[in-house]
Amino acid sequence: MKTKIRWYKHLYLSPSLEDMKRVVRYEIKYKKVPIGYYLLTLPSTSNNLFDIWRSEQIHMPWMKNQVLDVVGVAASKEEACEMAASIIYET
């Protein structure tokens, strides 16, 4: 079984990816090794506010049977960190 991905209804995208929302979601979900994206997900432990995953990691064997609630997608780790900060400041 593959990693199950649940997408946030109002998905956050970094500015460089905003015009490619459908392409990004398709590549992450169906491509064997989606390269070049960072996923901002709800935390896996209570110590975190968010988790940041490289898109290459989500199809690894140790991620099988995991459920990821994706809140945002960024083109770089720096953009993913900025996105997390802006979401935190927003609430």
Side-chain angles (χ1 to χ4, degrees), residues 8-62:
Y8 179 58
K9 185 177 181 180
H10 305 288
L11 184 69
Y12 290 89
L13 291 171
S14 63
S16 58
L17 298 177
E18 282 189 6
D19 296 336
M20 302 174 22
K21 184 177 181 178
R22 284 188 165 185
V23 172
V24 169
R25 285 179 63 165
Y26 179 85
E27 284 185 3
I28 291 169
K29 192 168 183 179
Y30 296 110
K31 211 172 176 188
K32 284 192 174 192
V33 184
I35 297 174
Y37 303 114
Y38 286 81
L39 308 179
L40 189 66
T41 65
L42 294 180
S44 55
T45 67
S46 61
N47 296 334
N48 299 342
L49 295 172
F50 292 104
D51 290 336
I52 297 176
W53 298 91
R54 284 191 359 239
S55 57
E56 296 91 350
Q57 293 175 307
I58 63 172
H59 296 301
M60 296 290 179
W62 49 269

